[in-house]
């Protein structure tokens, strides 16, 4: 795995009013890796992701994406950068007045000069690889189940073959089998298309199976960063809590206590 | 990107370079126009970079040419190509039949049928609302007094400036136009009758209703629609909060209470507008105007104007909340139904006003 940094977060501080969400945090995401942001609810994972994709600005600190400091981009540079990544939002964020097919097609129509035939082929292809049935392209987002929305949103995120993929909780709301399929898909896409994937996830299976490195956010800091082995070697209550090394046993005791 | 080599026996499509989405437009347009007459050989050995768009392009035109009966073969594949291909084309190619597009006649028929059904649905909505009203009247504790207050504030107090300005301008316009005619007969003083009666009986209620429909009716529709989209209404139902009691009736009651007051306010300001013009154009002092008004404006005109208020309010509030519930789970329908709600409200108000006119004339009022 080459280790050129694709995204570098340095000394980032974010606050909403008086609540500090990020207190001088740092992390580095390398090329071709599947990187996860981990942490409890409200620990600022989505916020950090939003800062990386230019939806929000940190109070201070710098974020470098694909070698560019995103705080000092001109509008054209920002526009170019935005075409190099795909984003899957936590709630899908499909355009509700367009069908799934049109949601994907829109990007090709706006950003490429491909003939209609090829656009059609690509739309079918993207819908197929994310595991949606072929007729799903004619459905509106309101006609999809939660898991189908996730898949359709992934198809849209993959439309322009981005080199960088941001996923906010891709497997939440999927059944366990689909979640593993989703993992495999992302893993294979990374290998074959040379993607870099940044994802927010709560899914420990995902962490075990496909994530190369991750950052654990907590108490407004990055508690730990690295591969699973590296992080597990660190001794910190939050890490224990997350990976249930000690908590599980005490929790089981509690349950048994109630039962007896 | 793509070189077409025409050999005697077959055509070789020599693919080379970077085959990724941003670079494929020219190749695709070439192939779109290309009509092979000889067997094809696709040579992809010199492609340096390939992404899913490249694979899709190869697959699409390979398939198309084959379907046209041209013998094709693919050479120069390597491991990466095959892996990418088998990831992207896991399933055999299939076309889903597109949704049927109906003829205009079908659409016209359906539209008409739905409109007729719409009347029934609106009546059902009113029926359900009244059943729940009777139910709340039995348990007055369930009435949402606080919510009614909030809506009185937003639909009433905050509407005063715009209603004031509109009524003032209407008063001014009517006074100007009437004076021009009246002065021809030297009947300037009748400006007072014209203003007094036309404003209080017809114009003030109508203007107020139109402003309220545009301002509060649209807001009602959009609020309820947004709540429907975020499933808040479903959540309310599961918790046993009936949307009629929590959303519809507070709005209806607030508007019914507020509308007569707004009309009264519009009466005052409108007459004041007329007085200003009468003073400027016909030298009629405020005192004279008011003295004349006392004699000219029978109380019934004023009362009729005010009484229209609750009726207009009921129609506006019911039509706009009803439209709010019709909003479906896409953002476009918010815009659509908000427009429809305002159009319906104004139409209903005008129709109701016409009904009042006919009735009152028959009653010789
Ligand atoms: N627009 C906002 N205004 C005020 N506070 C906000 C805003 N957005 C987020 N926050 C706060 O920032 C904190 C981090 O939110 P964020 O959405 O990043 O959490 P998260 O880690 O993604 O949580 P989850 O796992 O539940 O999605 C939360 O405490 C939240 O209340
Ligand atoms: Mg989040």
């Amino acid at each position: 795995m080459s280790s050129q940094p694709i995204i570098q977060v340095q000394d980032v501080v974010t606050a909403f009013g008086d609540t500090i969400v990020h207190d001088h945090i740092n992390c580095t995401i390398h090329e071709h890796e599947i990187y996860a942001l981990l942490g409890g609810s409200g620990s600022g994972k989505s916020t950090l992701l939003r800062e990386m994709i230019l939806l929000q600005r940190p109070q201070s600190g710098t974020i470098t994406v694909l070698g560019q400091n995103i705080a000092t981009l001109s509008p054209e540079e920002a526009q170019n950068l935005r075409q190099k990544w795909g984003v899957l939002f936590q709630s899908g964020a499909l355009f509700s007045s367009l069908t799934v097919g049109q949601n994907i097609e829109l990007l090709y129509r706006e950003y490429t000069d491909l003939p209609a035939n090829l656009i059609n082929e690509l739309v079918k292809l993207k819908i197929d690889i994310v595991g949606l049935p072929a007729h799903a392209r004619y459905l509106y987002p309101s006609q999809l189940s939660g898991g189908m929305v996730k898949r359709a949103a992934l198809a849209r995120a993959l439309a322009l073959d981005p080199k960088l993929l941001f996923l906010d909780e891709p497997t939440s709301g999927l059944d366990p089998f689909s979640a593993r399929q989703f993992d495999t898909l992302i893993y294979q896409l990374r290998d074959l298309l040379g993607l870099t994937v940044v994802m927010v996830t709560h899914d420990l299976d995902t962490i075990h199976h496909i994530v190369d490195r991750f950052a654990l956010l907590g108490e407004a800091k990055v508690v730990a960063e690295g591969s699973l082995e590296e992080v597990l070697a660190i001794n910190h209550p939050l890490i224990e809590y997350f990976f249930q090394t000690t908590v599980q046993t005490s929790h089981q005791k509690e349950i048994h206590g109630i039962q007896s | 990107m793509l070189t077409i080599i025409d050999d005697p026996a077959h055509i070789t499509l020599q693919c080379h370079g970077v085959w990724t989405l941003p670079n494929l437009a020219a190749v695709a347009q070439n192939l779109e126009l290309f009509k092979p007459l000889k067997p094809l050989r696709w040579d992809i050995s010199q492609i340096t970079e390939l992404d899913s768009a490249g694979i899709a392009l190869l697959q699409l035109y390979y398939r198309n040419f084959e379907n046209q009966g041209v013998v094709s073969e693919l050479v120069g594949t390597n491991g990466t190509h095959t892996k990418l291909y088998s990831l992207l084309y896991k399933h055999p190619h299939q076309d889903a039949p597109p949704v049927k597009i109906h003829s205009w006649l079908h659409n016209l028929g359906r539209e008409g049928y739905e409109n007729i059904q719409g009347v029934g649905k609106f009546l059902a909505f009113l029926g359900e609302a009244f059943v729940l009203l009777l139910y709340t009247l039995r348990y007055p504790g369930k009435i949402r007094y606080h919510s009614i207050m909030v809506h009185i504030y937003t639909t009433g107090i905050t509407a005063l400036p715009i209603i004031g300005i509109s009524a003032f301008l209407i008063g001014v316009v009517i006074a100007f136009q009437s004076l021009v005619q009246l002065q021809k007969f030297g009947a300037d003083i009748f400006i007072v009758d014209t203003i007094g009666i036309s404003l209080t009986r017809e114009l003030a209620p109508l203007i107020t209703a139109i402003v309220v429909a545009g301002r509060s009716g649209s807001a009602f529709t959009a609020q309820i629609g947004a709540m429907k989209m975020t499933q808040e209404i479903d959540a309310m139902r599961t918790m046993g909060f009936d949307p009629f009691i929590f959303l519809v009736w507070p709005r209806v009651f607030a508007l019914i209470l507020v509308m007569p007051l707004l009309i009264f306010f519009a009466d005052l300001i409108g007459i004041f507008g007329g007085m200003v013009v009468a003073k400027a154009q016909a030298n009629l002092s405020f005192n004279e105007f008011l003295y004349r008004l006392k004699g000219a404006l029978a109380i019934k005109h004023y009362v009729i104007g005010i009484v229209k208020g609750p009726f207009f309010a009921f129609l506006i509030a019911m039509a706009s909340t009803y439209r709010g519930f019709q909003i479906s789970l896409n953002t476009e329908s918010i815009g659509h139904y908000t427009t429809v709600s305002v159009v319906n409200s104004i139409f209903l108000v005008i129709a109701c006003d016409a009904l009042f006119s006919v009735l009152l004339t028959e009653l010789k009022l």
Side-chain angles (χ1 to χ4, degrees), chain B residues 124-140 142-143 237 240-250 253 318 325:
Chain B
F125 177 83
L126 285 183
E128 196 177 347
F130 273 100
V131 168
L132 280 152
L133 176 67
L134 293 180
Y135 166 78
T136 21
L137 290 182
R138 273 177 55 206
Y139 304 97
K142 286 210 176 243
I143 298 175
R237 283 212 169 97
F241 305 150
D242 193 274
F244 281 96
I245 297 172
F246 279 72
L247 301 175
V248 176
W249 281 112
F253 277 138
M318 278 299 178
F325 282 105

Side-chain angles (χ1 to χ4, degrees), chain A residues 40-47 49 90 168-169 200 202:
Chain A
S41 274
S43 57
K45 307 177 296 291
S46 298
T47 308
L49 201 73
Q90 200 165 353
D168 198 348
E169 305 202 10
V200 171
H202 293 291

Side-chain angles (χ1 to χ4, degrees), chain B residues 148-223:
Chain B
I148 294 178
M149 290 301 156
V150 171
H151 288 299
I152 286 180
Y153 179 78
T154 52
T155 59
I157 317 269
T158 58
L160 288 179
I162 180 69
I163 287 178
I165 292 170
S166 313
F168 181 81
L169 291 176
I170 288 290
V172 166
V173 169
I174 298 294
F176 258 117
Q177 296 301 324
S178 323
L179 261 181
V180 173
Q181 307 301 326
L182 291 171
Q183 277 175 338
K184 286 185 190 157
F185 306 100
D188 303 21
I189 190 70
F190 283 100
I191 185 69
V192 181
D193 306 50
T194 314
I195 296 282
I197 297 173
S198 67
L199 261 172
T200 54
R201 190 173 166 132
E202 289 294 337
L203 291 172
L206 265 186
I207 285 299
T208 311
I210 288 171
V211 171
V212 167
R215 221 183 144 268
S216 309
S218 58
F220 290 171
T221 309
Q223 284 159 0

